[in-house]
Amino acid sequence: QHKLSSDNVRMIVKRLSGFSGSDIASIASDASFGPIRSLGGLDAIRGVAASQIRPILMEDFDKAISQATKSVGRLEIQKYDDWTKEQAAS
């Protein structure tokens, strides 16, 4: 469950430019744990009903993105773009 508007999703997509698919999956996974982390430690989580867990918020993605690092560098992306253009031309 989430409380992201269409504008939030567009903003997230823009911020994820240059991240690999694997990076994005990791960021999304990390953001999805935000509501659980906000409950506290293991003792606080035990016995909590799913209905008591808040939805995923933009702040969860903000934090996950700010802590993430890109696994693919600019040089690798440029090489891939060049190869793609080369293949399209032939």
Side-chain angles (χ1 to χ4, degrees):
Q1 201 176 48
H2 67 80
K3 288 233 177 176
L4 300 172
S5 68
S6 296
D7 287 339
N8 289 149
V9 173
R10 280 191 275 281
M11 193 179 321
I12 291 168
V13 169
K14 284 182 183 180
R15 291 182 62 197
L16 292 175
S17 177
F19 283 95
S20 71
S22 177
D23 296 337
I24 293 169
S26 179
I27 289 166
S29 177
D30 190 40
S32 73
F33 280 100
I36 295 170
R37 282 190 207 99
S38 69
L39 294 173
L42 281 177
D43 290 334
I45 295 170
R46 288 190 181 108
V48 173
S51 62
Q52 295 175 304
I53 300 174
R54 69 166 173 80
I56 300 168
L57 304 172
M58 183 66 185
E59 293 79 24
D60 298 314
F61 275 94
D62 288 338
K63 185 173 181 181
I65 293 170
S66 72
Q67 294 175 344
T69 56
K70 295 178 182 178
S71 64
V72 180
R74 286 180 156 217
L75 183 58
E76 288 87 3
I77 292 171
Q78 186 60 50
K79 285 180 184 179
Y80 177 75
D81 287 344
D82 293 345
W83 179 84
T84 301
K85 289 175 187 172
E86 188 178 296
Q87 297 305 309
S90 57

